[in-house]
Every structure is written in structure tokens, then in C-alpha cells.
């Protein structure tokens, strides 16, 4: 599931006060990012300088141009405002991420080593196993898990339902099913909805279907209420059922970057920067039993350190959720972030390559 483009406006201000991160009110207090202490260009409201009072932003999503000091502090210059990725831009950056990371291989390792044992009790002898995928995208991971269910429960009928808001992803999912010859005794139905819309619909109709296996794979970053979403789908579990949640590990490089730089970047569609640590808090609060499986995953980000490299640019765009980050971000922010990416908290080096920590945590929650 992909985020909707959303851009935070630079608000009108007369005073240079910092609040809630780098870009709130369009101001860096004394040129410092409040989150990481990096020296950043001072952003001033246009209204504060009559010389630039008549200039208007070229970006319709912003009310003001962003004025920053030049490298030698001798004069002001105008920079292109930072903005979030659109749906299409995100999809392109995400493909680059998958091409250069081991995320799907990591999930494949989990599927091979742990999933058969986890799903062995599904259905408790019933003739049909009901599966629900939430935010399934193009279905690549769904189909792999369905094949494992088939292998563990030969001959059983599988009813697979999918919640996915992106129509292009649903079309790709359907095409993948049509091109598969080994999906016998499996039915498919798709709901072009977000998880929140599905939940609202179920509550309004007072109909709550039960499932034997529900999976939320890398999608909780984009829901409005994470705890409520987990509670709802857990309530949809039948007896002897399992809820699978796959999320970034709290020890991943993402956790370090989000902790220190989240307020220096444009907001995502919902702005949730969560890891396995946050999911543990929710599950503990629910009082449910669960198991956690941690698997290493890496993302080769070497090219982001090569100035002007296309792959490196896509890497930084996906990492920051920002369109053309290397050309739109303040120079000191770029330098600070690149330096952080090379630190042990984020990356390791292997054969001369910089490998960003993309470790995943798989939660298996019992009904």
C-alpha cells in the first residue's frame, strides 16, 4: 500500500521561534535543527524582508519561498521547497529499494523456516481455511504464503480475501493469479479499500467475518490509529487462528534515522514512524500471547554517497520520503544525514559496500 502525497505548508510567521522540529513555522532556531543539533540554514518568512515581499513560490503547495543563507553566509538564495513523494514517485523509489535490498529474501527465509510450523494448526480440521491480507499490494508475498498453506494442508480449500486501496496493485495481483497454474482449490476476492475503510464498513454493517489467518505486512506505518487497527483485526480471528504482523525492527537503521531526523523531513501520508518496539507496547497492553521472530535484512545504499548518482538519489528519496532530496534539502542537512547513514547505528560495511540495517520483526499473535 502506498502513501498519498501530502505536503506540510510553511506557515506565516513574524518571529524566529522553533517549535516541533525543523520546518514548523518555517524557521530553524539560530540555524540549528532541534532534533539533532546539526547546523542548518536559517529559514525566514518572506514577509520579514520587503526586498523579497513580492516574490511568490513556484510550488503551488507552499505559500512561501524558502530563503536560506548561502554557503559563505554572504547573501540569501532561494531553494526549492522539500515535499513528500507522490504515489507514482513513491512506487518508483520503492522498486529501487526492493532491487537493492534483501527485504523479500528476508521474508522468504521466515516463510521457509518458521511459517510452516506457525500455520500447522490453522482451521482446526475445518474443510476451508479463510485468509485475509491487509495492504497486500501486488500480492507477491500473499501468493507465497498461500502456497505454503497448501503444502501444509494439502487438498484443503482456501478462501483468500484482500484489502488493498491501490487499483493498479489489485490489477497486478489479479494478473499474477491468472498466470499461476498451481493455485488449485483457492478462491480470491479483492476489496479496494484501506484497512480503516474496511473496519468502518464492517462496523456500520454490524458484520464481522472471522478468519483463520490474517497478515499485516509492512503496512501499519500508514494507518491513523495503529493500536485500534491491531485490536480490530485481532478481533476478526477465529479459534486457533493467527495474526501475522511484519514490521521494521527497533534495532534497524530506520529506527536511528527516524529518531534523529523525522522532524527535519516532510510528513508522510500519516507520519507514523513505528518499529517493533511500538508493536510490543500495543500487544502487551492487549494482554494477548504472541511470539516474535527477528530476521536480518540489508539495503545497499552505497550509491547515495556518490554525488549525482541516479540510484543514490532514489535511495535518498525513499529513505527520507522526500522528492529529489539531494537537490531540495539544505546542504548541512544532507551532510548530517549522510554522515549518520555511515555510522554503526545505521549501517555496516561489506566488501566495500555500505549496507543499511533493514532488519524485520515478525509477530505471530494468537487468537
Amino acid at each position: 500500500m502506498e502513501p498519498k502525497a501530502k505536503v506540510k505548508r510553511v506557515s506565516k510567521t513574524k518571529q524566529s521561534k522553533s517549535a516541533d522540529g525543523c520546518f514548523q513555522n518555517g524557521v530553524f532556531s539560530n540555524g540549528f535543527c532541534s532534533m539533532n543539533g546539526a547546523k542548518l540554514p536559517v529559514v525566514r518568512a518572506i514577509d520579514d524582508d520587503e526586498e523579497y515581499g513580492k516574490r511568490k513560490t513556484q510550488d503551488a503547495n507552499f505559500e512561501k519561498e524558502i530563503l536560506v543563507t548561502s554557503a559563505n553566509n554572504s547573501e540569501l538564495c532561494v531553494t526549492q521547497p522539500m515535499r513528500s513523494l507522490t504515489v507514482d514517485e513513491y512506487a518508483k523509489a520503492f522498486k529501487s529499494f526492493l532491487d537493492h535490498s534483501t527485504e523479500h529474501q528476508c521474508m522468504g527465509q521466515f516463510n521457509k523456516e518458521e511459517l510452516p510450523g506457525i500455520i500447522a494448526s490453522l482451521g482446526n480440521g475445518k474443510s476451508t481455511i479463510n485468509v485475509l491480507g491487509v495492504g497486500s499490494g501486488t500480492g507477491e508475498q500473499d501468493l507465497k504464503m498461500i502456497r505454503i498453506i497448501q503444502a501444509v494442508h494439502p487438498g484443503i480449500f482456501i478462501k483468500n480475501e484482500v484489502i488493498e486501496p491501490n487499483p493498479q496493485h489489485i490489477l497486478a495481483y489479479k494478473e499474477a493469479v491468472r498466470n499461476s497454474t498451481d493455485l488449485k482449490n483457492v478462491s480470491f476476492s479483492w476489496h479496494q479499500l484501506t484497512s480503516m475503510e474496511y473496519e468502518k464498513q464492517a462496523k456500520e454493517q454490524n458484520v464481522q467475518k472471522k478468519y483463520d489467518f490474517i497478515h499485516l505486512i509492512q503496512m501499519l506505518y500508514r494507518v491513523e490509529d495503529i493500536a485500534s487497527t491491531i485490536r480490530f483485526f485481532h478481533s476478526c480471528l477465529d479459534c486457533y487462528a493467527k495474526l501475522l504482523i511484519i514490521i521494521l525492527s527497533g534495532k534497524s537503521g530506520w529506527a536511528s534515522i527516524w529518531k534523529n531526523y523525522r522532524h527535519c523531513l516532510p510528513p508522510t501520508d500519516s507520519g507514523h514512524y513505528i518499529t517493533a518496539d511500538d508493536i510490543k507496547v500495543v500487544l502487551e497492553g492487549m494482554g494477548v500471547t504472541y511470539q516474535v521472530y527477528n530476521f536480518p535484512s540489508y539495503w545497499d545504499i552505497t550509491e547515495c554517497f556518490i554525488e549525482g548518482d541516479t540510484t543514490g538519489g532514489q535511495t535518498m528519496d525513499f529513505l527520507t520520503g522526500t522528492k529529489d532530496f539531494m537537490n531540495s534539502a539544505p546542504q548541512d542537512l544532507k551532510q548530517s544525514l549522510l554522515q549518520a547513514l555511515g555510522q554503526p547505528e545505521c549501517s555496516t560495511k561489506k566488501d566495500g559496500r555500505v549496507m543499511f540495517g533493514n532488519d524485520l520483526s515478525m509477530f505471530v499473535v494468537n487468537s
Side-chain angles (χ1 to χ4, degrees):
M1 185 172 73
E2 298 169 353
K4 301 174 183 177
K6 182 177 179 181
V7 182
K8 192 173 183 178
R9 291 182 179 272
V10 178
S11 60
K12 193 173 185 179
T13 180
K14 291 287 185 179
Q15 299 177 346
S16 296
K17 296 181 180 179
S18 65
D20 191 27
C22 300
F23 290 105
Q24 179 133 347
N25 291 333
V27 176
F28 292 114
S29 177
N30 298 323
F32 282 85
C33 169
S34 62
M35 291 302 296
N36 56 38
K39 187 73 168 71
L40 296 172
V42 178
V43 180
R44 305 195 314 182
I46 289 178
D47 290 351
D48 291 346
D49 196 326
E50 293 182 0
E51 180 180 352
Y52 296 95
K54 297 181 180 180
R55 303 171 96 176
K56 294 184 179 180
T57 179
Q58 298 300 311
D59 186 336
N61 292 314
F62 280 78
E63 294 173 346
K64 299 183 183 298
E65 287 176 334
I66 297 179
L67 306 181
V68 301
T69 56
S70 63
N72 60 8
N73 293 317
S74 62
E75 60 182 6
L76 288 174
C77 58
V78 180
T79 66
Q80 178 69 22
M82 296 169 65
R83 68 166 176 82
S84 306
L85 298 172
T86 65
V87 170
D88 290 340
E89 291 163 352
Y90 175 87
K92 184 176 181 180
F94 181 61
K95 182 181 184 305
S96 177
F97 163 75
L98 290 180
D99 289 343
H100 295 87
S101 77
T102 62
E103 174 150 316
H104 280 183
Q105 293 90 323
C106 172
M107 293 181 187
Q109 184 181 1
F110 167 76
N111 289 344
K112 179 180 178 180
E113 297 179 7
E114 304 293 347
L115 192 59
I118 291 169
I119 64 174
S121 62
L122 294 186
N124 192 32
K126 295 189 301 184
S127 59
T128 299
I129 290 179
N130 296 291
V131 178
L132 177 64
V134 185
S136 293
T138 58
E140 181 177 349
Q141 295 303 315
D142 289 33
L143 298 183
K144 289 178 180 178
M145 290 189 290
I146 288 173
R147 291 183 176 102
I148 294 173
I149 296 174
Q150 286 181 312
V152 176
H153 300 275
I156 203 166
F157 187 77
I158 301 171
K159 292 183 65 175
N160 184 64
E161 293 191 43
V162 178
I163 300 172
E164 170 55 49
N166 189 306
Q168 286 75 32
H169 282 178
I170 291 178
L171 289 174
Y173 195 142
K174 291 180 177 179
E175 183 67 18
V177 171
R178 282 193 294 267
N179 293 334
S180 300
T181 59
D182 57 345
L183 296 174
K184 306 299 182 183
N185 296 323
V186 184
S187 68
F188 291 86
S189 59
W190 289 266
H191 307 277
Q192 189 182 323
L193 301 167
T194 66
S195 62
M196 294 162 283
E197 290 168 342
Y198 179 86
E199 178 180 350
K200 180 181 179 181
Q201 186 179 94
K203 291 179 178 179
E204 288 178 346
Q205 297 176 356
N206 197 27
V207 175
Q208 190 175 42
K209 298 180 67 174
K210 295 293 184 178
Y211 299 89
D212 300 296
F213 185 52
I214 301 175
H215 52 84
L216 315 176
I217 300 177
Q218 292 282 54
M219 55 73 64
L220 286 172
Y221 315 102
R222 293 178 287 275
V223 300
E224 292 178 3
D225 190 328
I226 297 163
S228 176
T229 297
I230 293 175
R231 284 194 296 267
F232 170 74
F233 285 108
H234 183 264
S235 73
C236 295
L237 293 177
D238 208 342
C239 298
Y240 304 98
K242 305 288 185 182
L243 170 64
L244 172 64
I245 300 172
I246 298 182
I247 201 84
L248 284 164
S249 165
K251 296 181 180 179
S252 67
W254 292 97
S256 177
I257 293 299
W258 288 342
K259 177 182 178 181
N260 295 301
Y261 291 92
R262 60 190 294 178
H263 294 298
C264 298
L265 302 170
T268 61
D269 55 338
S270 294
H272 294 306
Y273 299 90
I274 63 168
T275 68
D277 294 342
D278 302 291
I279 304 304
K280 287 180 182 178
V281 173
V282 173
L283 297 179
E284 292 292 336
M286 291 172 58
V288 295
T289 58
Y290 64 91
Q291 299 79 42
V292 186
Y293 304 84
N294 296 301
F295 282 82
S297 175
Y298 303 97
W299 178 20
D300 188 340
I301 62 170
T302 307
E303 278 70 26
C304 75
F305 297 95
I306 303 174
E307 187 174 357
D309 187 89
T310 301
T311 298
Q314 291 175 341
T315 296
M316 294 303 292
D317 286 2
F318 187 73
L319 182 74
T320 63
T322 303
K323 171 61 177 174
D324 199 18
F325 175 84
M326 294 303 288
N327 290 320
S328 65
Q331 183 64 29
D332 286 349
L333 174 58
K334 288 187 289 186
Q335 293 177 349
S336 177
L337 183 55
L338 286 171
Q339 183 178 13
L341 289 174
Q343 298 303 308
E345 294 81 5
C346 291
S347 304
T348 58
K349 290 187 178 180
K350 182 178 180 182
D351 299 328
R353 309 292 294 178
V354 182
M355 310 302 288
F356 184 77
N358 189 60
D359 296 1
L360 299 180
S361 293
M362 288 74 169
F363 290 84
V364 178
V365 188
N366 302 312
S367 58

